[in-house]
Amino acid sequence: MMDVLRALKQPKVAAMLALGFASGLPFLLTANTFGYWLREEGTSLKAIGFLSWVSLAYGMKFLWAPLIDRLDAPLLGKWLGRRRGWMVLSQIVVAAGLIGMALTGPHAGLSTVAGFAVLVAFASATQDIVVDAWRIEIADDGDELGLLTSAVQIGYRIALLAADALILVLADKIGWPGAYLSYGVLMAVGVAGAMMAGEPSRADAVMAANAAQKPLWSPRGLWDAIAGPFIEFFTAHGVFALLILVTITLYHLSDYVRGPISNPFYHDLGLTKSTVGWVRTIALTGTFSGIAVGGFCALRFGYFKTLIAGAVLQPIGIALFAGLALWGVTIPGFITVMILDNFAIGFSGVALVTYMSSLTSLGYTATQYAVMTSALAWTGKFLKGFSGAAVEALQSGRDLMHAYALFYLGAAAIGVPAVILCFFLVKPAPKQAEAV
């Protein structure tokens, strides 16, 4: 983290921090935080779980990522360039969607507010495609890629704090609609970051050459845009390609599955929004520590050992919440669990992002990274839709807190296969070996 702060005078690092913030801000506003708002309005756990499928947009972004690689953004692309044009366009749509959620809310009907949430999710997923591509393409070498990865993680985690904790304090003061309206305006931070960002000249040259040799609307160009990234990825990694994608798919699965239940769980524990908000603010120390330690381990011990450590830490952090359900919540205990969980998620997040970033190829960056993050998101974001129904089913014959405890232990157990698969990745394919 200190390396990032010292490097903020570099425009690309400052831009990366702002873009990381803009990427993280909408994520929970259509997921966990949205669930808190819905629960306060009396929405059932089952409905909250199913509404979390809004975020399936993040698992589908590989479908339109080839267009992001090959086409300029409407209106803005010619003025700002390919990457920056898509950044600003997606940020404007995210802001509009959040303002729409604020002006309607659950009182206008779940279908209306969910429609705006879908708009936010798709625009946010588009923003993620282009921000991730820019981060990889703008880096001059592996060390700078690591620095930019840390910067985007810090910005992203600050945004999650704002959207997961500070918004609860704000909603206590001015209500949920006012809070969502304020966060729509906050997307201006991302626009400022996009304006600071420079276009990645090396990647632009490769993409321009691809466009000249294989125009998108020609059969050859269309085939290259859609199939080229996959062919290149599987050619580069051989039989390890499938193992890579399966491991990525399962890596954060336990964290995704417990996501929609977290805020309703705190609500049902009897904690106030302000209490949860301030504890999450304190627990940010765990997040930043996890990012710092994860980044250090990736450089010192290599991607694979760090990946394994992150896979082990995540289920442990999630299982700790079962203790809160079984033995009751105290503020010191809640703070401790939140710090440890945040450390595990921060560490594992850096480990996975750094690993995935090392696997992309210039010219196909957006699509290949989108494929990997879609693999990461798709299964988890689908299964988490059943999390509310799972808790309600577990409640049969037992009280609600025991049902929550069993759910968290089950979510932690889901993380075990990822640990096992990570060990198989320790014997890397040729391209992976070069990245370590």
Short mmCIF file of all heavy atoms in Angstrom, two decimals, residues 302-353:
data_model
loop_
_atom_site.label_atom_id
_atom_site.label_comp_id
_atom_site.label_asym_id
_atom_site.label_seq_id
_atom_site.Cartn_x
_atom_site.Cartn_y
_atom_site.Cartn_z
N GLY A 302 5.90 -16.02 -5.21
CA GLY A 302 5.34 -16.42 -6.49
C GLY A 302 3.82 -16.50 -6.45
O GLY A 302 3.20 -16.56 -5.40
N TYR A 303 3.22 -16.49 -7.66
CA TYR A 303 1.77 -16.48 -7.78
C TYR A 303 1.11 -17.72 -7.19
O TYR A 303 0.06 -17.65 -6.54
CB TYR A 303 1.36 -16.37 -9.25
CG TYR A 303 1.86 -15.15 -9.98
CD1 TYR A 303 2.03 -15.16 -11.35
CD2 TYR A 303 2.16 -13.98 -9.29
CE1 TYR A 303 2.49 -14.04 -12.04
CE2 TYR A 303 2.63 -12.85 -9.95
CZ TYR A 303 2.79 -12.89 -11.32
OH TYR A 303 3.24 -11.78 -11.99
N PHE A 304 1.70 -18.88 -7.40
CA PHE A 304 1.02 -20.12 -7.06
C PHE A 304 0.91 -20.35 -5.56
O PHE A 304 -0.14 -20.72 -5.04
CB PHE A 304 1.71 -21.30 -7.75
CG PHE A 304 1.63 -21.24 -9.24
CD1 PHE A 304 2.73 -20.87 -9.99
CD2 PHE A 304 0.45 -21.51 -9.90
CE1 PHE A 304 2.65 -20.78 -11.37
CE2 PHE A 304 0.36 -21.42 -11.27
CZ PHE A 304 1.46 -21.06 -12.01
N LYS A 305 2.01 -20.13 -4.84
CA LYS A 305 1.96 -20.30 -3.39
C LYS A 305 1.00 -19.29 -2.76
O LYS A 305 0.28 -19.60 -1.80
CB LYS A 305 3.36 -20.16 -2.80
CG LYS A 305 4.29 -21.30 -3.18
CD LYS A 305 5.68 -21.11 -2.59
CE LYS A 305 6.61 -22.26 -3.02
NZ LYS A 305 8.00 -22.08 -2.51
N THR A 306 1.00 -18.07 -3.29
CA THR A 306 0.09 -17.05 -2.79
C THR A 306 -1.36 -17.42 -3.10
O THR A 306 -2.26 -17.22 -2.27
CB THR A 306 0.42 -15.68 -3.42
OG1 THR A 306 1.81 -15.40 -3.22
CG2 THR A 306 -0.40 -14.57 -2.81
N LEU A 307 -1.58 -17.99 -4.28
CA LEU A 307 -2.92 -18.43 -4.66
C LEU A 307 -3.43 -19.50 -3.70
O LEU A 307 -4.59 -19.47 -3.28
CB LEU A 307 -2.87 -18.97 -6.09
CG LEU A 307 -4.17 -19.01 -6.90
CD1 LEU A 307 -4.67 -17.59 -7.17
CD2 LEU A 307 -3.95 -19.74 -8.22
N ILE A 308 -2.58 -20.45 -3.35
CA ILE A 308 -2.96 -21.51 -2.42
C ILE A 308 -3.29 -20.92 -1.05
O ILE A 308 -4.31 -21.28 -0.42
CB ILE A 308 -1.84 -22.56 -2.30
CG1 ILE A 308 -1.70 -23.33 -3.62
CG2 ILE A 308 -2.13 -23.54 -1.16
CD1 ILE A 308 -0.46 -24.20 -3.69
N ALA A 309 -2.44 -20.02 -0.57
CA ALA A 309 -2.67 -19.41 0.74
C ALA A 309 -4.00 -18.68 0.78
O ALA A 309 -4.76 -18.77 1.75
CB ALA A 309 -1.52 -18.47 1.09
N GLY A 310 -4.30 -17.94 -0.29
CA GLY A 310 -5.58 -17.23 -0.35
C GLY A 310 -6.77 -18.17 -0.36
O GLY A 310 -7.80 -17.91 0.28
N ALA A 311 -6.64 -19.29 -1.06
CA ALA A 311 -7.73 -20.28 -1.10
C ALA A 311 -7.98 -20.89 0.27
O ALA A 311 -9.12 -21.23 0.61
CB ALA A 311 -7.39 -21.37 -2.11
N VAL A 312 -6.94 -21.02 1.08
CA VAL A 312 -7.07 -21.57 2.43
C VAL A 312 -7.69 -20.55 3.38
O VAL A 312 -8.55 -20.88 4.22
CB VAL A 312 -5.70 -22.03 2.96
CG1 VAL A 312 -5.78 -22.41 4.44
CG2 VAL A 312 -5.17 -23.22 2.14
N LEU A 313 -7.28 -19.30 3.25
CA LEU A 313 -7.72 -18.27 4.19
C LEU A 313 -9.21 -17.95 4.06
O LEU A 313 -9.89 -17.69 5.07
CB LEU A 313 -6.90 -16.99 3.98
CG LEU A 313 -5.46 -17.02 4.48
CD1 LEU A 313 -4.72 -15.77 4.03
CD2 LEU A 313 -5.42 -17.14 6.00
N GLN A 314 -9.73 -17.95 2.83
CA GLN A 314 -11.12 -17.54 2.62
C GLN A 314 -12.13 -18.36 3.43
O GLN A 314 -12.95 -17.79 4.15
CB GLN A 314 -11.47 -17.62 1.14
CG GLN A 314 -10.91 -16.51 0.30
CD GLN A 314 -11.33 -16.67 -1.15
OE1 GLN A 314 -12.35 -16.13 -1.58
NE2 GLN A 314 -10.56 -17.43 -1.90
N PRO A 315 -12.12 -19.70 3.34
CA PRO A 315 -13.11 -20.48 4.10
C PRO A 315 -12.99 -20.29 5.61
O PRO A 315 -13.99 -20.32 6.33
CB PRO A 315 -12.79 -21.93 3.70
CG PRO A 315 -12.07 -21.83 2.40
CD PRO A 315 -11.30 -20.56 2.48
N ILE A 316 -11.75 -20.10 6.09
CA ILE A 316 -11.57 -19.87 7.52
C ILE A 316 -12.27 -18.59 7.95
O ILE A 316 -12.99 -18.55 8.96
CB ILE A 316 -10.06 -19.81 7.87
CG1 ILE A 316 -9.41 -21.16 7.61
CG2 ILE A 316 -9.86 -19.38 9.32
CD1 ILE A 316 -7.90 -21.16 7.75
N GLY A 317 -12.07 -17.51 7.16
CA GLY A 317 -12.72 -16.24 7.49
C GLY A 317 -14.24 -16.35 7.48
O GLY A 317 -14.92 -15.79 8.35
N ILE A 318 -14.79 -17.08 6.53
CA ILE A 318 -16.24 -17.22 6.42
C ILE A 318 -16.82 -18.07 7.56
O ILE A 318 -17.88 -17.76 8.11
CB ILE A 318 -16.60 -17.82 5.05
CG1 ILE A 318 -16.28 -16.80 3.95
CG2 ILE A 318 -18.08 -18.23 4.98
CD1 ILE A 318 -16.32 -17.36 2.55
N ALA A 319 -16.09 -19.12 7.93
CA ALA A 319 -16.57 -20.00 9.01
C ALA A 319 -16.68 -19.27 10.35
O ALA A 319 -17.48 -19.66 11.21
CB ALA A 319 -15.64 -21.21 9.15
N LEU A 320 -15.89 -18.22 10.54
CA LEU A 320 -15.93 -17.48 11.80
C LEU A 320 -17.30 -16.87 12.08
O LEU A 320 -17.67 -16.68 13.24
CB LEU A 320 -14.87 -16.37 11.79
CG LEU A 320 -13.40 -16.83 11.80
CD1 LEU A 320 -12.48 -15.63 11.63
CD2 LEU A 320 -13.07 -17.58 13.07
N PHE A 321 -18.06 -16.57 11.02
CA PHE A 321 -19.38 -15.97 11.22
C PHE A 321 -20.36 -16.95 11.87
O PHE A 321 -21.34 -16.53 12.50
CB PHE A 321 -19.94 -15.46 9.90
CG PHE A 321 -19.25 -14.21 9.42
CD1 PHE A 321 -18.17 -14.29 8.55
CD2 PHE A 321 -19.66 -12.97 9.85
CE1 PHE A 321 -17.52 -13.16 8.11
CE2 PHE A 321 -19.01 -11.81 9.42
CZ PHE A 321 -17.94 -11.91 8.55
N ALA A 322 -20.10 -18.25 11.70
CA ALA A 322 -20.95 -19.23 12.38
C ALA A 322 -20.86 -19.07 13.89
O ALA A 322 -21.84 -19.28 14.61
CB ALA A 322 -20.53 -20.64 11.97
N GLY A 323 -19.69 -18.67 14.39
CA GLY A 323 -19.52 -18.44 15.82
C GLY A 323 -20.38 -17.30 16.32
O GLY A 323 -20.95 -17.36 17.42
N LEU A 324 -20.50 -16.24 15.52
CA LEU A 324 -21.37 -15.12 15.91
C LEU A 324 -22.81 -15.58 16.04
O LEU A 324 -23.54 -15.13 16.93
CB LEU A 324 -21.27 -13.99 14.89
CG LEU A 324 -19.91 -13.28 14.73
CD1 LEU A 324 -20.01 -12.22 13.64
CD2 LEU A 324 -19.47 -12.66 16.05
N ALA A 325 -23.24 -16.45 15.12
CA ALA A 325 -24.62 -16.94 15.15
C ALA A 325 -24.86 -17.87 16.34
O ALA A 325 -25.91 -17.82 16.98
CB ALA A 325 -24.94 -17.66 13.85
N LEU A 326 -23.87 -18.71 16.67
CA LEU A 326 -24.06 -19.73 17.72
C LEU A 326 -23.90 -19.17 19.12
O LEU A 326 -24.63 -19.54 20.05
CB LEU A 326 -23.06 -20.87 17.52
CG LEU A 326 -23.32 -21.79 16.31
CD1 LEU A 326 -22.17 -22.76 16.15
CD2 LEU A 326 -24.64 -22.53 16.46
N TRP A 327 -22.92 -18.26 19.29
CA TRP A 327 -22.57 -17.82 20.65
C TRP A 327 -22.93 -16.38 20.93
O TRP A 327 -22.63 -15.84 21.98
CB TRP A 327 -21.06 -18.04 20.87
CG TRP A 327 -20.69 -19.49 20.70
CD1 TRP A 327 -21.29 -20.56 21.28
CD2 TRP A 327 -19.67 -20.02 19.86
NE1 TRP A 327 -20.71 -21.73 20.87
CE2 TRP A 327 -19.70 -21.43 19.99
CE3 TRP A 327 -18.72 -19.46 19.01
CZ2 TRP A 327 -18.83 -22.27 19.31
CZ3 TRP A 327 -17.84 -20.29 18.33
CH2 TRP A 327 -17.91 -21.68 18.49
N GLY A 328 -23.60 -15.74 20.00
CA GLY A 328 -24.03 -14.37 20.21
C GLY A 328 -22.99 -13.37 19.77
O GLY A 328 -21.80 -13.68 19.67
N VAL A 329 -23.45 -12.16 19.52
CA VAL A 329 -22.56 -11.13 19.00
C VAL A 329 -22.22 -10.11 20.08
O VAL A 329 -23.08 -9.67 20.83
CB VAL A 329 -23.19 -10.43 17.77
CG1 VAL A 329 -24.49 -9.73 18.14
CG2 VAL A 329 -22.22 -9.47 17.13
N THR A 330 -20.94 -9.83 20.19
CA THR A 330 -20.45 -8.71 20.99
C THR A 330 -19.70 -7.79 20.03
O THR A 330 -19.20 -8.25 19.00
CB THR A 330 -19.51 -9.16 22.11
OG1 THR A 330 -18.34 -9.76 21.52
CG2 THR A 330 -20.20 -10.17 23.03
N ILE A 331 -19.61 -6.54 20.34
CA ILE A 331 -18.93 -5.61 19.44
C ILE A 331 -17.46 -5.98 19.26
O ILE A 331 -16.98 -6.03 18.11
CB ILE A 331 -19.08 -4.15 19.92
CG1 ILE A 331 -20.57 -3.77 19.96
CG2 ILE A 331 -18.31 -3.21 19.01
CD1 ILE A 331 -21.28 -3.93 18.63
N PRO A 332 -16.70 -6.29 20.33
CA PRO A 332 -15.31 -6.71 20.11
C PRO A 332 -15.20 -7.98 19.25
O PRO A 332 -14.33 -8.08 18.39
CB PRO A 332 -14.78 -6.96 21.53
CG PRO A 332 -15.64 -6.10 22.39
CD PRO A 332 -16.99 -6.15 21.78
N GLY A 333 -16.10 -8.94 19.49
CA GLY A 333 -16.08 -10.17 18.70
C GLY A 333 -16.42 -9.90 17.25
O GLY A 333 -15.81 -10.47 16.33
N PHE A 334 -17.40 -9.04 17.03
CA PHE A 334 -17.80 -8.69 15.66
C PHE A 334 -16.65 -8.00 14.92
O PHE A 334 -16.36 -8.32 13.77
CB PHE A 334 -19.04 -7.78 15.72
CG PHE A 334 -19.66 -7.48 14.39
CD1 PHE A 334 -19.80 -8.45 13.41
CD2 PHE A 334 -20.14 -6.20 14.11
CE1 PHE A 334 -20.39 -8.18 12.18
CE2 PHE A 334 -20.73 -5.91 12.89
CZ PHE A 334 -20.86 -6.90 11.93
N ILE A 335 -15.98 -7.07 15.61
CA ILE A 335 -14.85 -6.37 14.99
C ILE A 335 -13.75 -7.35 14.62
O ILE A 335 -13.18 -7.31 13.52
CB ILE A 335 -14.30 -5.28 15.95
CG1 ILE A 335 -15.32 -4.16 16.11
CG2 ILE A 335 -12.97 -4.74 15.44
CD1 ILE A 335 -14.94 -3.13 17.17
N THR A 336 -13.45 -8.28 15.53
CA THR A 336 -12.38 -9.26 15.28
C THR A 336 -12.68 -10.13 14.07
O THR A 336 -11.84 -10.34 13.19
CB THR A 336 -12.17 -10.15 16.52
OG1 THR A 336 -11.83 -9.33 17.65
CG2 THR A 336 -11.06 -11.16 16.28
N VAL A 337 -13.92 -10.65 14.01
CA VAL A 337 -14.31 -11.50 12.89
C VAL A 337 -14.26 -10.73 11.58
O VAL A 337 -13.77 -11.23 10.55
CB VAL A 337 -15.73 -12.08 13.12
CG1 VAL A 337 -16.26 -12.74 11.85
CG2 VAL A 337 -15.70 -13.09 14.27
N MET A 338 -14.74 -9.49 11.60
CA MET A 338 -14.75 -8.69 10.38
C MET A 338 -13.33 -8.38 9.90
O MET A 338 -13.04 -8.43 8.69
CB MET A 338 -15.51 -7.38 10.61
CG MET A 338 -17.00 -7.57 10.80
SD MET A 338 -17.86 -8.07 9.27
CE MET A 338 -17.94 -6.51 8.42
N ILE A 339 -12.41 -8.09 10.81
CA ILE A 339 -11.03 -7.81 10.42
C ILE A 339 -10.38 -9.04 9.81
O ILE A 339 -9.72 -8.97 8.76
CB ILE A 339 -10.21 -7.30 11.63
CG1 ILE A 339 -10.65 -5.88 12.01
CG2 ILE A 339 -8.71 -7.32 11.32
CD1 ILE A 339 -9.98 -5.35 13.26
N LEU A 340 -10.57 -10.19 10.45
CA LEU A 340 -9.97 -11.43 9.94
C LEU A 340 -10.56 -11.81 8.58
O LEU A 340 -9.83 -12.23 7.67
CB LEU A 340 -10.16 -12.56 10.95
CG LEU A 340 -9.41 -12.41 12.27
CD1 LEU A 340 -9.80 -13.52 13.24
CD2 LEU A 340 -7.90 -12.40 12.04
N ASP A 341 -11.86 -11.67 8.44
CA ASP A 341 -12.50 -11.98 7.16
C ASP A 341 -12.02 -11.03 6.07
O ASP A 341 -11.72 -11.45 4.95
CB ASP A 341 -14.02 -11.89 7.33
CG ASP A 341 -14.77 -12.21 6.03
OD1 ASP A 341 -14.52 -13.29 5.47
OD2 ASP A 341 -15.57 -11.38 5.60
N ASN A 342 -11.93 -9.74 6.39
CA ASN A 342 -11.46 -8.77 5.40
C ASN A 342 -10.01 -9.04 5.00
O ASN A 342 -9.64 -8.85 3.84
CB ASN A 342 -11.59 -7.35 5.97
CG ASN A 342 -13.02 -6.83 5.90
OD1 ASN A 342 -13.94 -7.57 5.63
ND2 ASN A 342 -13.20 -5.56 6.16
N PHE A 343 -9.20 -9.45 5.95
CA PHE A 343 -7.81 -9.79 5.63
C PHE A 343 -7.77 -10.93 4.63
O PHE A 343 -7.04 -10.88 3.62
CB PHE A 343 -7.04 -10.19 6.89
CG PHE A 343 -5.61 -10.59 6.62
CD1 PHE A 343 -4.60 -9.65 6.62
CD2 PHE A 343 -5.29 -11.91 6.35
CE1 PHE A 343 -3.29 -10.01 6.35
CE2 PHE A 343 -3.98 -12.29 6.07
CZ PHE A 343 -2.98 -11.34 6.08
N ALA A 344 -8.57 -11.97 4.88
CA ALA A 344 -8.59 -13.14 3.99
C ALA A 344 -9.05 -12.76 2.58
O ALA A 344 -8.46 -13.19 1.59
CB ALA A 344 -9.49 -14.22 4.58
N ILE A 345 -10.09 -11.94 2.49
CA ILE A 345 -10.62 -11.57 1.19
C ILE A 345 -9.66 -10.63 0.46
O ILE A 345 -9.45 -10.75 -0.76
CB ILE A 345 -12.01 -10.91 1.33
CG1 ILE A 345 -13.00 -11.91 1.96
CG2 ILE A 345 -12.53 -10.44 -0.02
CD1 ILE A 345 -13.15 -13.21 1.19
N GLY A 346 -9.04 -9.70 1.19
CA GLY A 346 -8.07 -8.80 0.57
C GLY A 346 -6.86 -9.56 0.05
O GLY A 346 -6.40 -9.32 -1.08
N PHE A 347 -6.34 -10.50 0.84
CA PHE A 347 -5.19 -11.30 0.45
C PHE A 347 -5.52 -12.14 -0.78
O PHE A 347 -4.78 -12.14 -1.78
CB PHE A 347 -4.80 -12.22 1.61
CG PHE A 347 -3.57 -13.05 1.36
CD1 PHE A 347 -2.34 -12.69 1.89
CD2 PHE A 347 -3.64 -14.22 0.60
CE1 PHE A 347 -1.21 -13.46 1.67
CE2 PHE A 347 -2.51 -14.99 0.35
CZ PHE A 347 -1.29 -14.61 0.90
N SER A 348 -6.63 -12.85 -0.73
CA SER A 348 -6.98 -13.75 -1.84
C SER A 348 -7.33 -12.97 -3.10
O SER A 348 -7.07 -13.43 -4.22
CB SER A 348 -8.15 -14.65 -1.44
OG SER A 348 -9.30 -13.88 -1.12
N GLY A 349 -7.90 -11.76 -2.94
CA GLY A 349 -8.23 -10.96 -4.11
C GLY A 349 -7.00 -10.54 -4.89
O GLY A 349 -6.95 -10.65 -6.11
N VAL A 350 -5.96 -10.08 -4.19
CA VAL A 350 -4.71 -9.71 -4.85
C VAL A 350 -4.07 -10.94 -5.49
O VAL A 350 -3.56 -10.88 -6.62
CB VAL A 350 -3.73 -9.07 -3.84
CG1 VAL A 350 -2.33 -8.94 -4.45
CG2 VAL A 350 -4.23 -7.70 -3.43
N ALA A 351 -4.09 -12.06 -4.78
CA ALA A 351 -3.49 -13.28 -5.30
C ALA A 351 -4.12 -13.69 -6.63
O ALA A 351 -3.42 -14.00 -7.61
CB ALA A 351 -3.63 -14.41 -4.29
N LEU A 352 -5.45 -13.67 -6.69
CA LEU A 352 -6.13 -14.12 -7.91
C LEU A 352 -6.00 -13.11 -9.05
O LEU A 352 -5.77 -13.50 -10.20
CB LEU A 352 -7.60 -14.39 -7.60
CG LEU A 352 -8.39 -15.02 -8.75
CD1 LEU A 352 -7.82 -16.37 -9.15
CD2 LEU A 352 -9.86 -15.16 -8.39
N VAL A 353 -6.16 -11.83 -8.75
CA VAL A 353 -6.08 -10.81 -9.80
C VAL A 353 -4.70 -10.78 -10.42
O VAL A 353 -4.54 -10.69 -11.65
CB VAL A 353 -6.46 -9.42 -9.24
CG1 VAL A 353 -6.11 -8.31 -10.23
CG2 VAL A 353 -7.95 -9.37 -8.92
#
